Amino acid sequence: MATPTAVDVVMPQMGVSVSEGTITKWLKQEGEEIQADEPLLEISTDKVDTEVPSPGTGVVQQILHQEGETVPVGERLAVIGAPGAAPAEQQQEPSGDGAAPTEEQQAPPEPATAEAAAEAGAVSGAESPAPAAPEPVTADAAADTGDANGDGKSFVSPVVARIAGEHGVDISQIQGTGRGGRVTKKDILGFIESGGQEAPAPALAAPPPEPQPQPEAAAPPAAAPPAPAEPEAPAEPEAPAPEAPAAPPAPAPVAAQPAAAAPEVQEGESEEPMTAMRKGIAEHMRRSLDTSAHVTSAIEVDMSRVVAIREKLKPEFQKSYGVNPTYLIFVARAVAVTLRDYPWINGELRGDKIITRNYVNLGFAVELADGKGLIVPVVKHAEGLNLLGMARAVTDIAERARNKQLTPDEVQGGTFTITNPGGYGTFHGTPVISQPQAAILGTYALVKRPWVITDDLGKDVIGIRPIMNLTLTYDHRLVDGALAGRFLQSLRQKLETWGESDY
């Protein structure tokens, strides 16, 4: 009977590579009524900020995570129940019938991911200890075990499990600061940065006390051994003595960090916490530089023909279709056409395999309205769009990106990215590749410059021309400088010889 009266709200999967999200704001509080599909809370990931709608109509019975908490995909966030239902029953029935089995029945058909396993473990508390037996092995095993109401370390998010696996860290050695002692990403990164100094103390301190009581229990029966056993007992307590010196080195570096952090904010300064998106950007950019061999090539393009065509089309595009054919639109259209001849630049490396495609999914770096974040929405199958179609798609997706109205699918699956810092007057840059793509194109300010041209008589003369710099940052593991140069040359030719057929 409890099944139709309550529905669990879980952290949604906001893209294939996203394994957790941060709660930024609850739009409803406990005891408030809510309709199905009405926004319940706002969450933030490294990919997108979005609202999570209510999965059912009723009353917000319980909020299980507060604003600012980072929660793994699939973990329960709240319970929506019918008016008058008791909140406590839903919270204390995770392993019984109630609404939990309904969500549990829906979980198995999903792909066998760490998130699904974690959710299943949380719902069926009695069954999770069984898989916990092989607990000593890896962080991945811990992630699959679920939160079995233990010390919180039996559950780790996929991100924490991945980091632990990459650095060979034993999760049990880390003191978690998350709910129920769960080890968070911040905990494991801090542990790694400190050189794993926390591990020796708990590991060495635990064994000595347990062996001691056993020899003493065996000692009383024999009369002769007790005398030698007592001198040995003092010798054993000396074992912690070496541990005491071992402990000071750990606090030393940790103490140094707080000391340096204390005077950070001085008079005339202010501080603010990094958002989940800002942290995600930082991690993504650092990982990209650690992954790809970045090289940047640049080329100058005479945009005279593009400027002339844009002036001709702009009134019609704005009046009839409500879009502005910016220079970025022309570049994007030319890129989509050119990439068909350069599949490696539109490809990626997967292990020792080179992946190429017969389609182009163009990503566009867009600054958020508050200026505190960057998001890369993707125009799917851009190779099939003409100039007007490209203008409509880019205008729509950029507007919704600034207003945080994108869906998770719209920031996934990009095969090539364009960034446009030229809108702010910059004339050159070295963008960072968006993993796992092979390249990113930078477009820069259109500037009138003196340019050598050939007149009608075949003579070289100096004229004033609108020139745009383009840069291509590429992964040198896959793309060589010669290939990048040919791509830029082909792109320039298309822009400089733009004709009616290119609309």
Side-chain angles (χ1 to χ4, degrees):
M1 295 178 62
T3 303
T5 63
V7 179
D8 287 341
V9 181
V10 300
M11 178 62 71
Q13 176 75 56
M14 303 298 292
V16 177
S17 62
V18 178
S19 57
E20 61 185 11
T22 298
I23 301 171
T24 55
K25 184 178 182 181
W26 281 101
L27 305 177
K28 296 286 185 180
Q29 300 301 320
E30 289 186 358
E32 291 189 45
E33 294 186 358
I34 190 169
Q35 299 296 316
D37 297 326
E38 183 181 356
L40 174 60
L41 72 155
E42 294 178 355
I43 64 172
S44 176
T45 73
D46 61 338
K47 299 289 186 184
V48 65
D49 289 358
T50 190
E51 294 177 342
V52 176
S54 172
T57 298
V59 173
V60 181
Q61 289 186 323
Q62 289 180 319
I63 291 179
L64 304 177
H65 292 276
Q66 301 305 312
E67 293 178 1
E69 289 191 39
T70 299
V71 182
V73 168
E75 185 163 322
R76 293 200 308 166
L77 303 177
V79 178
I80 306 296
E89 293 179 3
Q90 291 301 330
Q91 181 60 12
Q92 295 179 2
E93 284 186 329
S95 59
D97 17 287
T102 303
E103 297 298 326
E104 187 179 11
Q105 290 168 2
Q106 294 174 358
E110 296 179 358
T113 62
E115 294 89 341
E119 183 180 359
V123 174
S124 179
E127 294 177 4
S128 8
E135 197 175 21
V137 269
T138 64
D140 293 332
D144 292 336
T145 308
D147 185 358
N149 295 328
D151 60 359
K153 295 181 182 177
S154 58
F155 175 84
V156 292
S157 71
V159 170
V160 174
R162 174 176 59 79
I163 295 174
E166 291 175 355
H167 294 83
V169 174
D170 184 356
I171 297 293
S172 64
Q173 296 180 343
I174 304 175
Q175 182 63 43
T177 60
R179 191 167 70 93
R182 180 169 63 87
V183 177
T184 66
K185 183 167 70 173
K186 181 179 178 182
D187 295 332
I188 191 170
L189 291 177
F191 179 80
I192 294 170
E193 289 174 4
S194 67
Q197 297 294 331
E198 297 174 8
L204 295 175
E210 296 183 3
Q212 282 181 341
Q214 293 176 355
E216 290 175 1
E230 293 184 18
E232 289 176 10
E236 291 178 6
E238 291 176 7
E243 295 169 16
V254 174
Q257 291 174 352
E264 276 184 3
V265 181
Q266 302 176 6
E267 185 178 354
E269 298 177 342
S270 61
E271 68 175 359
E272 59 181 297
M274 290 179 70
T275 63
M277 176 176 284
R278 192 75 254 167
K279 290 178 181 178
I281 292 172
E283 181 182 352
H284 188 66
M285 294 297 97
R286 182 66 258 172
R287 181 164 56 86
S288 181
L289 290 173
D290 291 341
T291 301
S292 298
H294 281 60
V295 179
T296 301
S297 297
I299 201 165
E300 297 172 312
V301 181
D302 181 353
M303 299 285 282
S304 298
R305 292 184 68 86
V306 170
V307 170
I309 294 174
R310 179 176 180 269
E311 290 177 354
K312 174 184 174 183
L313 295 177
K314 185 175 179 179
E316 179 187 352
F317 274 40
Q318 289 182 324
K319 180 180 179 180
S320 302
Y321 310 109
V323 295
N324 179 22
T326 63
Y327 295 118
L328 174 63
I329 303 301
F330 285 84
V331 174
R333 167 64 180 155
V335 164
V337 174
T338 306
L339 282 174
R340 290 184 297 192
D341 299 326
Y342 295 87
W344 280 17
I345 294 178
N346 188 46
E348 69 175 83
L349 285 177
R350 291 182 191 168
D352 59 354
K353 306 293 183 183
I354 298 173
I355 305 300
T356 58
R357 294 113 169 166
N358 60 1
Y359 59 89
V360 177
N361 290 345
L362 275 184
F364 294 87
V366 178
E367 184 182 30
L368 298 183
D370 59 8
K372 295 183 178 180
L374 193 72
I375 195 166
V376 184
V378 177
V379 173
K380 303 291 178 65
H381 293 284
E383 78 285 353
L385 299 176
N386 60 12
L387 190 65
L388 175 59
M390 186 71 74
R392 281 173 158 173
V394 174
T395 301
D396 170 68
I397 206 166
E399 182 66 23
R400 289 189 293 110
R402 294 187 187 98
N403 296 323
K404 300 182 180 181
Q405 295 175 341
L406 294 175
T407 63
D409 184 61
E410 290 174 320
V411 293
Q412 301 293 321
T415 63
F416 186 88
T417 297
I418 299 176
T419 182
N420 183 36
Y424 304 100
T426 61
F427 68 91
H428 187 76
T430 56
V432 178
I433 299 167
S434 179
Q435 294 298 321
Q437 298 170 25
I440 180 172
L441 185 82
T443 66
Y444 300 91
L446 193 71
V447 180
K448 290 183 178 179
R449 291 169 48 192
W451 200 252
V452 177
I453 59 175
T454 303
D455 64 11
D456 296 337
L457 300 175
K459 303 275 188 180
D460 287 342
V461 297
I462 295 178
I464 303 300
R465 289 291 184 267
I467 304 300
M468 176 184 285
N469 283 0
L470 300 178
T471 64
L472 182 73
T473 299
Y474 48 95
D475 187 345
H476 211 338
R477 298 177 303 164
L478 176 59
V479 180
D480 296 326
L483 180 62
R486 289 199 302 274
F487 170 80
L488 287 172
Q489 187 179 49
S490 297
L491 181 59
R492 177 175 65 182
Q493 183 180 10
K494 284 182 173 58
L495 291 169
E496 292 184 344
T497 60
W498 199 283
E500 296 284 341
S501 61
D502 298 313
Y503 289 5

